[in-house]
Amino acid sequence: MKIGVVGAGHVGATAAYAMMMRGVGSEIVLVDTNTDLAVAQAHDILDATPWAYPVRVRAGEASDLDSAGIVVIAAGSAQRPGESRLDLLSRNATIFAKIVPSVLAAAPDTIILVASNPVDVMTQIVTVLAGRLGVPPRRVIGSGTILDSARFRTILAAHLGISPSYIDARVLGEHGDSEVLHWSGAVAGDMPVAEAARQMGRDLTEADRSRIDAAVRRAAYDIIKGKGATWFGVAGGLARIAQVIRGDERALITCSMSMAEFHGVNEVALSLPRVLGAAGVMATFMPRLDDGERAALKRSAEILKEAAEGLRL
C-alpha cells in the first residue's frame, strides 16, 4: 500500500518514520509546500530502512499520491501572536480547502487521517470538504485521543506496577482540555483497575485518580514547555492506525470521527472507541459511562461544537 503524508514537519515526518519502522505500507510519499524540507525528510528516513523495513520513501507532489490507500494530513498553520482560535481555524480551513481536493483528485478512494490541531475541529472540516466530493465520514479519521489514551494507559500502568500492554483505559471526547478519562471502564487484564490495584497491594484512591487525571491532561503542556511541541507519541498513534487499516485488523481504536448527532449535539467530531478496518471506521462503540462521565462527555461535545461555529467552509 502507498501511504501519503501531507506536511513534512515534525509530526508528519515522524509519522512517516514510525510507519517505516513498523513496516506499514510499501511506499511513503511526503508532500510539503517546502519541497526542500520534504526531500530532506524523505532522504533522512530512507537512510534508516536498512535497519527496519525496505519501505520506499520519497518526496513528491500531490499528484504523486495517486492510488494511495491512506493519506495523513499533518499540515496547517501555527497560531500567531494575538490571533484568536477562530482566526486560526479559519486560516487552516482555507489551507485545507486546497489540500483536500488535491489529495482526492489523486487518490479518490483513500482514507484520510487528520493529525493537524485542533484535531477534532479539523477532522470536522475535512469531513465537510471531502463529503462534497463524495467521501463518506467513515473514511475521514482524526487521531483524536489515541495519544491521550496511550498516556492514560502508561501513567496508570506505572501506578499499578504492571505493563501498559495489559491496561485498557480510554480517553473520550475532545483531544484537549475537556477530554474525559473513562475511569469506570478502565481494566487491567479482565478486572477493574481498582481490583487490580488491590491485588497488587497498591492504593487507588480519589487522590490517586486526580493525580493521574491531571498528569494525562498536563502531559502535552509539559512536553511543549520543554521542547516546543509534541510529535513522537502522536506519530506512533498514526502509525498504529495506518497499520490497522492496511491489515484490515478490525481493531478497536479510540479516535475522532464526525458524527451526525451525539447526545443532542449535531454534526460534531470527537473521540470514541471505533472499529477500524480497510474501509475506515466500521463501527462506533458507545461505552458504558457513569453519570459524571456522561455529563462531561456531552459537555465536551458542546465545547467542540462551539469551537467550530462561525467557520465558513
Side-chain angles (χ1 to χ4, degrees):
M1 175 188 284
K2 178 192 288 187
I3 298 174
V5 178
V6 180
H10 287 310
V11 171
T14 308
Y17 176 75
M19 286 187 274
M20 182 278 294
M21 293 298 289
R22 274 183 175 266
V24 180
S26 56
E27 180 181 7
I28 299 173
V29 180
L30 276 70
V31 177
D32 198 285
T33 53
N34 184 341
T35 303
D36 290 343
L37 175 63
V39 169
Q41 298 281 40
H43 189 168
D44 200 11
I45 296 167
L46 187 65
D47 286 346
T49 56
W51 298 286
Y53 291 87
V55 179
R56 298 185 300 278
V57 186
R58 64 185 177 93
E61 304 293 332
S63 58
D64 294 307
L65 300 175
D66 60 297
S67 74
I70 299 169
V71 175
V72 176
I73 301 183
S77 179
Q79 194 162 7
R80 297 168 179 168
E83 184 177 45
S84 71
R85 180 186 178 93
L86 184 59
D87 287 338
L88 173 62
L89 283 169
S90 297
R91 282 200 298 113
N92 278 335
T94 300
I95 292 170
F96 274 49
K98 297 178 181 178
I99 291 174
V100 173
S102 65
V103 166
L104 292 174
D109 298 321
T110 198
I111 292 173
I112 300 176
L113 302 186
V114 183
S116 305
N117 276 319
V119 68
D120 301 294
V121 180
M122 297 312 297
T123 300
Q124 183 72 34
I125 289 170
V126 174
T127 301
V128 171
L129 295 171
R132 293 172 180 169
L133 299 172
V135 176
R138 63 178 169 80
R139 282 174 40 204
V140 179
I141 302 167
S143 56
T145 60
I146 190 171
L147 174 56
D148 311 86
S149 298
R151 289 169 176 158
F152 189 13
R153 292 172 59 193
T154 301
I155 297 169
L156 181 56
H159 178 81
L160 296 177
I162 63 177
S163 167
S165 299
Y166 298 97
I167 298 287
D168 189 4
R170 302 173 185 275
V171 178
L172 311 174
E174 179 193 13
H175 171 57
D177 292 340
S178 73
E179 65 190 25
V180 180
L181 276 67
H182 186 205
W183 278 104
S184 67
V187 296
D190 64 347
M191 67 185 74
V193 291
E195 176 60 17
R198 187 190 68 79
Q199 294 194 29
M200 288 294 292
R202 303 190 177 214
D203 292 328
L204 186 57
T205 64
E206 283 304 314
D208 294 321
R209 293 185 183 224
S210 294
R211 175 182 54 81
I212 292 169
D213 188 293
V216 172
R217 295 175 189 276
R218 191 181 63 235
Y221 296 107
D222 291 343
I223 294 169
I224 291 168
K225 181 179 178 181
K227 69 173 195 175
T230 67
W231 55 83
F232 290 115
V234 68
L238 290 164
R240 176 60 182 142
I241 292 173
Q243 183 181 44
V244 167
I245 293 170
R246 183 209 59 179
D248 194 23
E249 291 185 29
R250 318 295 175 95
L252 194 62
I253 301 291
T254 306
C255 56
S256 190
M257 174 187 169
S258 180
M259 304 178 70
E261 188 273 338
F262 179 80
H263 284 239
V265 181
N266 295 326
E267 302 299 336
V268 65
L270 77 170
S271 285
L272 290 170
R274 307 185 194 277
V275 180
L276 301 187
V281 176
M282 305 182 68
T284 295
F285 287 2
M286 186 61 227
R288 295 178 179 175
L289 306 169
D290 64 28
D291 290 343
E293 291 166 344
R294 189 175 298 106
L297 189 53
K298 181 178 181 180
R299 180 55 186 152
S300 186
E302 291 168 346
I303 288 170
L304 287 168
K305 181 67 174 181
E306 291 165 6
E309 287 179 351
L311 285 174
R312 295 181 178 180
L313 300 176

